Amino acid sequence: ILGNLSNITWDSISGASNIEVDVLQSGVTVSSCNKKNLSDTLTSISYIGTDCVLNSGQTYTAKVTASNSVNSITKTISFSTNTAPTAKTISKKLIMTGFDLTLSAIDLATDPDNDTLSISSASRLAGSSTVNCAIDASGKLKVSTSNSVNLGDTTCNAVVNDGNRGAVTVSVIVSEVPKNSWLGTTSSDFSDSN
């Protein structure tokens, strides 16, 4: 769960005159999530939009209480909300004309919940039209340059998601340099050729 709770379900209940649903954090009811006087014919409730907003990276308890004038039965279940990935600080990358640079999701972001990260989209935000930002067949961000020299900075945006509705946009700035200026293809392995 990330952000807004969408629904809570339970087994069928009969003979209750009232069903009440609460979401609690540290024993305190999240007031926007409380639903009272529900029919015993219901087996779920839905929250619309921001009816039940939860904080990321927190533990909550969903509580369903069925009661009549004689008895009261309560069932609870605890759950944790998801924390979105965090973008890493990416230093500018140098890339030679005609070469490619690839970065994986874990090169771009970390996840506090240790969820498996993937790149869901990539686009060129600004810069040279000869630089292409895309996702390659292995799911990595691939920054490609053509063989025509078009020097300068280009910003590629990649959306990294955790598979649990958490996502972060990461910007990678690449600077295209002519082939004869540097040995290597990225800032981690180039050296001055003069």
Side-chain angles (χ1 to χ4, degrees), residues 1 6-7 19 22 62 107 112 118 128:
I1 297 172
S6 57
N7 62 54
I19 296 176
D22 288 302
D107 293 330
S118 63
S128 171

Side-chain angles (χ1 to χ4, degrees), residues 5 8 20-36 45 47 50-55 60-61:
L5 183 63
I8 296 176
E20 183 173 352
V21 176
D22 288 302
V23 176
L24 302 102
Q25 184 180 23
S26 301
V28 178
T29 297
V30 179
S31 60
S32 62
C33 304
N34 180 259
K35 300 287 186 183
K36 296 181 179 182
I45 59 165
Y47 297 98
T50 58
D51 280 355
C52 184
V53 179
L54 305 178
N55 296 320
Y60 292 89
T61 301

Side-chain angles (χ1 to χ4, degrees), residues 98-188:
F99 285 79
D100 300 334
L101 170 70
T102 56
L103 297 166
S104 69
I106 60 172
D107 293 330
L108 302 174
T110 60
D111 189 78
D113 305 314
N114 294 316
D115 294 327
T116 300
L117 299 178
S118 63
I119 300 172
S120 57
S121 67
S123 60
R124 183 180 63 248
L125 181 65
S128 171
S129 61
T130 63
V131 174
N132 184 41
C133 307
I135 302 172
D136 70 10
S138 65
K140 295 180 180 180
L141 171 65
K142 181 178 181 179
V143 182
S144 306
T145 61
S146 66
N147 283 318
S148 60
V149 178
N150 197 336
L151 305 181
D153 291 351
T154 299
T155 301
C156 292
N157 276 355
V159 176
V160 178
N161 69 62
D162 64 7
N164 292 305
R165 300 193 313 170
V168 64
T169 300
V170 183
S171 294
V172 178
I173 299 173
V174 295
S175 186
E176 189 175 354
V177 294
K179 287 182 183 180
N180 297 329
S181 296
W182 304 101
L183 300 174
T185 58
T186 69
S187 57
S188 62

Side-chain angles (χ1 to χ4, degrees), residues 35-118:
K35 300 287 186 183
K36 296 181 179 182
N37 302 318
L38 302 172
S39 167
D40 70 348
T41 60
L42 295 176
T43 57
S44 69
I45 59 165
S46 296
Y47 297 98
I48 300 170
T50 58
D51 280 355
C52 184
V53 179
L54 305 178
N55 296 320
S56 65
Q58 302 294 314
T59 300
Y60 292 89
T61 301
K63 180 173 82 169
V64 178
T65 302
S67 61
N68 58 26
S69 60
V70 179
N71 292 318
S72 177
I73 298 172
T74 299
K75 297 290 184 180
T76 61
I77 186 169
S78 294
F79 62 94
S80 296
T81 53
N82 185 48
T83 303
T86 304
K88 289 183 178 179
T89 301
I90 309 296
S91 59
K92 183 190 289 188
K93 303 293 183 185
L94 300 180
I95 185 169
M96 286 192 298
T97 301
F99 285 79
D100 300 334
L101 170 70
T102 56
L103 297 166
S104 69
I106 60 172
D107 293 330
L108 302 174
T110 60
D111 189 78
D113 305 314
N114 294 316
D115 294 327
T116 300
L117 299 178
S118 63

